[in-house]
Amino acid sequence: MSTTTPTVNGRVIALAHFAGRALLERVLDRHGATFHQSVTLRVVVAAGESIDRGALVTEVNGLLKTDDSVVHAVIGELTAARRLEEDPADPSRLRLTDAGRELHESTTAEAAEIAARLYAGITADELAVAGGVLTLVTERANAELADAAA
């Protein structure tokens, strides 16, 4: 292990992402959920616990950079597990069930405990700089993806 601080680059970002994701996936595994399901539930929660199916697919695709068919399959998994359901008043909308809410709340709490340990001792200024750099990299990558899709 190097004693010098590495320069931020794609490899360093990927290593941090995959290490953190592996910890999160351990939490999700204990609850019988996947990373994609977790992201999908988070989008529904952020939308107020109910969202148009098409908007959900678009939002999750924007986050995971995946294919519509993958997101539709994840929605199917969450619906089969009774963590999401069609809104009886408007079948084009999906809503969180009590089981989905419980899963989201418990995994989010466990993930927050892990994050607290991982970010312990890092100053607010250091986090702000890192956040700014990563946000800019994300914006640039998204712009290139949009250009490639056009």
Side-chain angles (χ1 to χ4, degrees):
M1 174 76 53
S2 174
T3 59
T4 61
T5 303
T7 299
V8 172
N9 58 38
R11 181 177 182 277
V12 170
I13 293 168
L15 289 172
H17 164 76
F18 286 117
R21 182 170 167 174
L23 292 170
L24 174 60
E25 286 182 346
R26 286 182 181 175
V27 169
L28 295 170
D29 284 347
R30 284 196 306 274
H31 292 274
T34 67
F35 180 74
H36 283 46
Q37 290 172 354
S38 174
V39 170
T40 303
L41 287 176
R42 186 172 354 117
V43 170
V44 177
V45 168
E49 298 194 4
S50 174
I51 188 170
D52 176 80
R53 183 184 297 265
L56 178 58
V57 171
T58 299
E59 181 72 19
V60 173
N61 273 339
L63 295 169
L64 295 177
K65 312 299 186 239
T66 189
D67 186 76
D68 284 359
S69 64
V70 172
V71 181
H72 284 291
V74 170
I75 291 169
E77 294 164 3
L78 289 167
T79 302
R82 301 191 191 284
R83 292 171 173 162
L84 281 181
E85 65 185 5
E86 286 185 354
D87 186 334
D90 182 356
S92 70
R93 296 186 68 79
L94 294 165
R95 66 183 186 184
L96 207 58
T97 64
D98 290 341
R101 187 176 304 101
E102 182 179 314
L103 172 65
H104 174 74
E105 289 172 356
S106 60
T107 57
T108 298
E110 289 181 51
E113 291 173 6
I114 292 168
R117 291 191 302 273
L118 297 179
Y119 292 97
I122 303 173
T123 68
D125 287 344
E126 291 169 326
L127 290 172
V129 169
V133 169
L134 294 174
T135 298
L136 181 58
V137 169
T138 301
E139 289 169 355
R140 289 177 177 175
N142 283 337
E144 286 204 26
L145 287 168
D147 287 348

